[in-house]
Each structure stands twice: as C-alpha cells, then as structure tokens.
Amino acid sequence: MSDDWAARRGLTAILITVPELAAYTDRWRSVSRSMLRPQVSLTELIPPHVSVLVPWVAEPADADVERLSSVLAKVEPFELSFPTAGQFPNGTAWLRPEPFNTVRSLVLTVYEAFPECPPYGGEFLDPHPHLTIASSTEGGPTVVAEAQAALAEEAAPVVQLTEVGLWREGADSVWRQFGAVPLGA
C-alpha cells in the first residue's frame, strides 16, 4: 500500500468539522503544512475536523447521500470534546475526540455503508479517529507536549455534534463543504 490516493486532486470526504476549535488549534495548525499540499497551512487547507471517510465517492449522487443519511439516522447527536493530545508513529500530532468509542462507532458504521470506498485508500483500515493539529513534518513530541500543557491550562471547547459535513477538495487544494447530513434524523 502507499498513500498514492492522497496525492490525487479533487477528493471528496465525510468529515466531522469542528470550526469552534479553530481559535484553539490555530496555534499549531497555522504553522503546519501538509506534505502533499505544502503551499498552504492546515488552517487554510481545511477546518479542524475528524475524518469519517476519505476518500469518499468521486461524484456523490443523491443515492450516496441517501445511503449516508440512512445509516446516520441511527446515530444520535452527542457532545464532542478533545481532552488529550497524542501522536502517530509518523509524528503527526492530534487531539483525541471523546467519547472515542462513539466516534469510532460512527466511523465504522459509515465504512460499512460504503465498502467500495476503503478508508484512506485502504492504507489504514483500523480507524483511530483524531483531529490533526500538526502534520508529520511539524508534529512530534514538542507539539504534543505543548498541546497537553494547553489542555491542562484551558480545555478545548466542547461541541454538540449534530451532523457530518460533505467536503470536496478544490483545484487550489482548499477543501470546501458542499453538503451536510444530520445525525438522528
């Protein structure tokens, strides 16, 4: 496997976006850049989010949105917090969403509904939901320590998760929302 899927342009994704965390996470995300899209910071590239499914279908049709709506109708809205930081072996620093098992269950439910869209192009089949605060090139123990200290001083905002967003990457590499699907509808 490789991350060739990530090098493609015009991807679509299902995301839990949390713009309420932007002011909190921008201290890291504004100085971190994606290795594949280094021309813009993470802050400019995409809002703070937890990936549910990326890449999603290339050209989502009404039937795809209806399939997603059907599975998310069984997931009740819930409060989402980000109380701890960590990092992946590649150095990417992240905040952990809580309740973690609820978020992971939501992600797995969506994966099962779209078996033709392997998560991360098949690269990571066992999801570890997270909100990236620094890429692998700018992440690491220093960012994690800073984030843990910041979380100890002031908790990240708690948000009510009521929907997931449908997003598409533009030709300029910036992601834009083109729809949303409510939870528990």
Side-chain angles (χ1 to χ4, degrees):
M1 296 271 174
S2 71
D3 61 0
D4 290 342
W5 68 270
R8 295 190 336 236
R9 300 295 175 156
L11 296 173
T12 64
I14 302 168
L15 306 176
I16 296 170
T17 52
V18 282
E20 302 89 344
L21 267 70
Y24 193 89
T25 61
D26 277 358
R27 63 186 105 183
W28 304 292
R29 296 181 84 247
S30 66
V31 296
S32 184
R33 297 177 183 281
S34 163
M35 288 185 353
L36 294 170
R37 312 299 193 267
Q39 68 276 21
V40 292
S41 69
L42 293 180
T43 299
E44 297 169 289
L45 190 66
I46 193 165
H49 68 280
V50 176
S51 295
V52 175
L53 183 57
V54 61
W56 189 38
V57 294
E59 295 297 331
D62 290 345
D64 299 310
V65 176
E66 289 170 15
R67 183 171 17 153
L68 181 60
S69 295
S70 176
V71 298
L72 292 180
K74 302 171 189 136
V75 177
E76 290 301 317
F78 58 94
E79 280 193 349
L80 189 59
S81 65
F82 295 86
T84 59
Q87 77 180 70
F88 291 122
N90 72 357
T92 298
W94 43 260
L95 299 181
R96 178 183 167 114
E98 293 291 349
F100 184 80
N101 288 334
T102 301
V103 175
R104 189 169 190 277
S105 177
L106 182 152
V107 168
L108 290 172
T109 297
V110 172
Y111 286 5
E112 290 169 7
F114 292 93
E116 72 277 18
C117 301
Y120 302 101
E123 191 77 14
F124 304 104
L125 297 176
D126 183 23
H128 185 278
H130 64 282
L131 187 154
T132 298
I133 57 172
S135 72
S136 58
T137 56
E138 290 98 3
T142 302
V143 172
V144 173
E146 287 174 12
Q148 289 289 47
L151 289 164
E153 188 175 305
E154 177 188 359
V158 175
V159 297
Q160 182 71 21
L161 183 63
T162 60
E163 66 182 23
V164 298
L166 309 178
W167 290 75
R168 178 181 307 280
E169 181 187 31
D172 59 358
S173 298
V174 174
W175 288 78
R176 292 173 182 82
Q177 188 169 359
F178 67 89
V181 174
L183 302 182

